Short mmCIF file of all heavy atoms in Angstrom, two decimals:
data_model
loop_
_atom_site.label_atom_id
_atom_site.label_comp_id
_atom_site.label_asym_id
_atom_site.label_seq_id
_atom_site.Cartn_x
_atom_site.Cartn_y
_atom_site.Cartn_z
N THR A 28 -45.10 40.26 -8.34
CA THR A 28 -43.75 40.12 -8.88
C THR A 28 -42.87 39.45 -7.84
O THR A 28 -42.76 39.93 -6.71
CB THR A 28 -43.18 41.50 -9.25
OG1 THR A 28 -44.06 42.13 -10.19
CG2 THR A 28 -41.80 41.36 -9.88
N HIS A 115 -26.68 33.68 -15.59
CA HIS A 115 -26.24 35.08 -15.66
C HIS A 115 -26.63 35.72 -17.00
O HIS A 115 -26.10 36.75 -17.36
CB HIS A 115 -24.72 35.18 -15.51
CG HIS A 115 -24.22 34.70 -14.19
ND1 HIS A 115 -24.28 35.47 -13.06
CD2 HIS A 115 -23.67 33.52 -13.81
CE1 HIS A 115 -23.77 34.79 -12.04
NE2 HIS A 115 -23.40 33.60 -12.48
N ALA A 172 -6.98 43.83 -18.26
CA ALA A 172 -8.44 43.73 -18.29
C ALA A 172 -8.97 42.43 -17.71
O ALA A 172 -10.16 42.25 -17.63
CB ALA A 172 -8.91 43.87 -19.73
N ASP A 183 -24.93 44.35 -11.80
CA ASP A 183 -25.24 44.37 -10.38
C ASP A 183 -25.18 43.00 -9.74
O ASP A 183 -25.02 42.88 -8.54
CB ASP A 183 -26.63 44.97 -10.14
CG ASP A 183 -26.63 46.48 -10.30
OD1 ASP A 183 -25.53 47.06 -10.36
OD2 ASP A 183 -27.72 47.06 -10.37
#
Side-chain angles (χ1 to χ4, degrees):
T28 303
H115 297 280
D183 285 347

